[in-house]
Amino acid sequence: MVAQSSIGLSAPWIADGSVWWLEGRPTEKGRVVLVRADRGANPSDVVPAELNVRTSVHEYGGGAYCVHDGIAFVSNFADQRLYRIEPGEEPVPITPAVEGRRHRYADGRVSPSGELWIGVRERHAASDRSADVVNELVTLPVDGSSEPTVIASGRDFYSSPRISPDGSRLCLLAWNLPWMPWDGCELFVADLGADGTLGAVERVAGADGKESIWQPEWSPAGDLLFASDRSGWWNLERIRDGERTVLHAATAEFGFPAWSFGSRSYDFLGDGRIVCAYDSAGFMRYGILDPESGALEELDLGLDSGSPALCAEGSTVVLVGGSATVPNRVVRLDIATGSTEVVRASTELALDSAYFSAPRPIEFPTDGGLTAHALVYPPTSTDFEAPEGEQPPLLVLSHGGPTGSTTAIFSLAKQFWTTRGFAIVDVNYGGSTGYGREYRERLNGQWGVVDLQDCVNAARYLVEQGEADPERLLIRGGSAGGYTTICALTFTDAFAAGASYFGIADLEQFAGGETHKFELEYEHTLVGPYPQEAARYRERSPIHFVERIATPMLVLQGADDRVVPPSQAELIVGALDRRRVPHAYVLYEGEGHGFRKAENIADSLEAELSFYGQVLGFEPAGPLRTLRIEHLDGKPE
């Protein structure tokens, strides 16, 4: 069910009443498909079967399509070229073919005249060195009659080029290494010529490393809106006639970490009000904001989880959202009448919600007299009960990023564990978003310390509350969460076993350029400037302390991962083997940073369950292959 019954839903768009969105389909080997639903008609695929709507800009992508006058402009994953797709016609490439997918495009918009596409281009040199990658803004004719023209360059990164309604101005975001966009970026405005050239560029908000700007947009009246965290929280602001105003001050996040392009947390209704999604105390909320009075009216949609994904036209709002017991869905909402329509659900499984474990948020004590946040999922089943007096094994989840967060979004992957008798604590450790900039900055200089402490303390807290078996504590995570997992199994004895999905074993190699450009100097904020703080990198790298590892570890890795390459997995696997620590290593061909293919999603879950069963000494229910574990019966040296 986890692998094949759900599709990923993202990037909604509405134009002339038609709703567009992207679907990630595991059963099609992870292909992403652009889908369109006209009012009163069934959804239909816009792209042919051989086209995969994904961009590899920043590796994480996003912003892979835009729509203008019923024409879609999409990035194709196979060659990274832009294609124009008119209704009923075959895709037509409008950017040059470049060997090795070295020119990539994202986050574009078409000018009001319909003549120009303006967006981000990322150029990779033949050397394939991250330091040689160039990011810039380009414009090109939508018919592909000439090559792209660079209109902004010189900064390390660009995003969010947005054209004013009358086509006369362009806003954009830019920032430089070592900063990530949530550390700080700058918002610029420039006059835009009919040929796509820019006039004088003026900075109007933001600062590298100090103030983060999220989702600049032009209102229908020509005002510039955006979210800024200068107050400590991403709140919506407006620039009108040169005056900058906070529209609604709140201890809530109306902005989000920009890991990928194109996410939208707000849009404009036809009457000038703003429909918005915001994060409050770990849950997604929806509301309508009056920009003149600052009043915010909450919308009760029964959806409280998801990523920022909404758009509006007139009184119609289209969003992607869900909850712990409601699968993610594309919803069309009419603000005028209050009517709602589910356009597409991520899963059509007719499952009894009594099987679903609903989380509760907790705050728990952690090091330094502080508190941290998490979501707790108890084991849940209508068919089975735990033996009397027995507490469940606890699976601690450490999310990726690390600048990110976990939400209560419906997840069959979590229910896979809770229906089998595991409790889950999904930790929003210090450094996570959704709790203000101060909480987010707890991780600055402390990666591998604060996240580790919070994961361990979450487990200890639940043991003290009588909700988990202290002898059966487990930890798992992917990417940065994989790093936290490896740290937990190296520097503590809190856990009986753990699973690292494409985790980092050696921060020093990672800081030395063994990653993509977007995160090339991410660790300078999270750990410290390199090589000046090389000793600190070694202190935080499990690979230098393998003599401490005695806890069984499962390592899962994508062979094509450019963010955390397989060499990181191989470092820790080699050390585990030399130390004769029980371990297993599974390498998935054709997978990158995160598994997309149905067969690999299923296999990784089965491998993990088999691993825990063998280590903890129980026989998992149902048909399951037995994972080979090296040195399971031996003792670490």
Side-chain angles (χ1 to χ4, degrees):
M1 287 184 182
V2 176
Q4 299 192 30
S5 65
S6 297
I7 55 175
L9 300 172
S10 64
W13 191 293
I14 184 169
D16 299 324
S18 297
V19 179
W20 310 63
W21 67 91
L22 294 178
E23 293 187 2
R25 299 176 178 171
T27 56
E28 297 181 29
K29 298 192 178 301
R31 186 171 78 101
V32 180
V33 180
L34 178 60
V35 181
R36 172 177 175 166
D38 298 328
R39 187 173 288 278
N42 292 326
S44 60
D45 292 357
V46 175
V47 297
E50 66 274 9
L51 202 147
N52 185 356
V53 185
R54 282 178 60 195
T55 174
S56 295
V57 178
H58 292 183
E59 298 299 330
Y60 295 114
Y65 83 99
C66 66
V67 175
H68 183 82
D69 284 346
I71 301 172
F73 297 84
V74 307
S75 175
N76 181 32
F77 183 69
D79 57 14
Q80 290 297 296
R81 300 175 72 184
L82 275 180
Y83 287 77
R84 185 183 72 251
I85 306 178
E86 300 191 35
E89 301 292 333
E90 290 295 310
V92 176
I94 62 172
T95 56
V98 178
E99 184 181 359
R101 307 166 66 247
R102 296 204 317 267
H103 286 194
R104 307 169 181 183
Y105 300 86
D107 206 20
R109 292 294 187 271
V110 175
S111 62
S113 68
E115 296 177 355
L116 298 174
W117 181 94
I118 298 176
V120 176
R121 180 175 69 180
E122 183 175 272
R123 291 187 288 119
H124 291 244
S127 67
D128 205 32
R129 293 176 64 248
S130 297
D132 295 333
V133 173
V134 175
N135 295 74
E136 56 206 358
L137 292 184
V138 299
T139 182
L140 62 120
V142 297
D143 61 2
S145 57
S146 63
E147 294 199 0
T149 300
V150 177
I151 60 171
S153 62
R155 301 297 293 269
D156 287 328
F157 301 102
Y158 293 90
S159 76
S160 309
R162 300 295 181 257
I163 307 166
S164 63
D166 63 3
S168 67
R169 290 179 292 170
L170 183 78
C171 69
L172 59 102
L173 293 177
W175 67 97
N176 287 323
L177 295 168
W179 308 114
M180 304 299 284
W182 48 84
D183 295 321
C185 54
E186 295 181 295
L187 174 60
F188 296 91
V189 173
D191 290 336
L192 179 63
D195 60 353
T197 56
L198 297 184
V201 178
E202 176 189 4
R203 187 182 72 85
V204 296
D208 276 358
K210 297 179 180 179
E211 179 189 1
S212 175
I213 304 297
W214 162 268
Q215 195 197 333
E217 298 279 359
W218 299 97
S219 76
D223 299 329
L224 183 58
L225 273 75
F226 51 91
S228 165
D229 70 350
R230 61 176 174 158
S231 69
W233 298 82
W234 271 306
N235 285 177
L236 289 176
E237 300 192 22
R238 176 183 64 202
I239 295 178
R240 173 185 286 174
D241 299 327
E243 182 179 352
R244 182 175 174 180
T245 306
V246 177
L247 297 182
H248 180 79
T251 54
E253 301 279 39
F254 291 77
F256 298 80
W259 281 103
S260 57
F261 293 102
S263 295
R264 289 186 283 189
S265 64
Y266 70 91
D267 205 351
F268 304 95
L269 297 169
D271 60 9
R273 293 182 298 167
I274 300 167
V275 59
C276 51
Y278 56 98
D279 199 333
S280 176
F283 289 87
M284 187 75 77
R285 311 295 183 191
Y286 298 93
I288 298 178
L289 175 64
D290 185 331
E292 304 308 323
S293 69
L296 179 66
E297 174 191 355
E298 187 167 343
L299 292 172
D300 184 9
L301 304 178
L303 308 173
D304 59 16
S305 303
S307 57
L310 63 76
C311 55
E313 182 180 63
S315 65
T316 301
V317 178
V318 178
L319 59 89
V320 177
S323 75
T325 56
V326 176
N328 224 21
R329 52 195 53 198
V330 178
V331 176
R332 189 198 320 250
L333 167 67
D334 191 315
I335 296 296
T337 66
S339 65
T340 60
E341 173 195 1
V342 178
V343 183
R344 178 81 95 191
S346 61
T347 180
E348 301 294 343
L349 286 175
L351 291 174
D352 185 347
S353 61
Y355 284 97
F356 300 153
S357 178
R360 78 176 196 276
I362 62 168
E363 294 185 23
F364 58 90
T366 191
D367 289 39
L370 301 172
T371 60
H373 302 269
L375 298 172
V376 177
Y377 296 78
T380 303
S381 175
T382 62
D383 301 325
F384 301 97
E385 292 182 1
E388 185 175 354
E390 180 179 329
Q391 298 306 322
L394 176 69
L395 192 56
V396 177
L397 305 189
S398 176
H399 66 71
T403 308
S405 65
T406 185
T407 71
I409 192 68
F410 177 83
S411 169
L412 285 174
K414 290 189 179 76
Q415 309 301 336
F416 175 89
W417 297 106
T418 57
T419 55
R420 285 165 170 78
F422 292 80
I424 286 176
V425 59
D426 208 354
V427 185
N428 272 324
Y429 48 77
S432 301
T433 52
Y435 305 93
R437 182 167 184 128
E438 183 178 351
Y439 191 82
R440 194 166 78 237
E441 290 183 339
R442 280 190 191 178
L443 208 58
N444 288 0
Q446 296 296 312
W447 191 27
V449 177
V450 166
D451 50 322
L452 173 58
Q453 292 170 345
D454 289 355
C455 285
V456 171
N457 286 326
R460 288 174 175 166
Y461 174 79
L462 292 174
V463 168
E464 292 169 0
Q465 299 299 307
E467 298 182 54
D469 183 343
E471 301 302 318
R472 295 187 293 180
L473 301 180
L474 307 162
I475 186 168
R476 76 192 295 262
S479 192
Y483 165 64
T484 304
T485 295
I486 299 172
C487 285
L489 303 181
T490 303
F491 300 121
T492 81
D493 58 1
F495 300 98
S500 168
Y501 284 70
F502 33 91
I504 302 164
D506 187 352
L507 288 181
E508 197 167 13
Q509 280 196 18
F510 205 62
E514 196 185 76
T515 188
H516 58 140
K517 181 185 176 184
F518 183 61
E519 295 181 80
L520 191 59
E521 297 181 19
Y522 190 16
E523 299 79 17
H524 287 214
T525 301
L526 296 174
V527 182
Y530 188 85
Q532 297 94 314
E533 299 290 346
R536 187 185 300 175
Y537 280 79
R538 288 191 287 272
E539 290 169 1
R540 306 270 180 86
S541 295
I543 196 64
H544 296 302
F545 299 91
V546 294
E547 72 281 357
R548 300 188 186 183
I549 305 178
T551 305
M553 186 186 308
L554 171 63
V555 179
L556 303 109
Q557 176 71 41
D560 297 339
D561 196 336
R562 291 290 305 276
V563 179
V564 180
S567 58
Q568 288 281 334
E570 290 156 6
L571 281 173
I572 198 67
V573 170
L576 292 168
D577 194 48
R578 289 190 296 274
R579 286 264 301 141
R580 302 187 63 78
V581 175
H583 71 278
Y585 177 41
V586 186
L587 181 68
Y588 293 103
E589 297 295 334
E591 293 285 15
H593 199 63
F595 304 155
R596 294 173 177 268
K597 299 177 182 179
E599 61 270 26
N600 295 337
I601 295 170
D603 186 79
S604 63
L605 281 172
E606 292 184 352
E608 192 175 353
L609 180 58
S610 176
F611 187 78
Y612 296 151
Q614 292 179 68
V615 170
L616 296 182
F618 69 87
E619 185 69 27
L624 188 72
R625 74 177 178 92
T626 300
L627 178 72
R628 176 181 171 81
I629 302 178
E630 303 294 336
H631 310 304
L632 181 60
D633 299 325
K635 293 183 178 180
E637 292 182 351

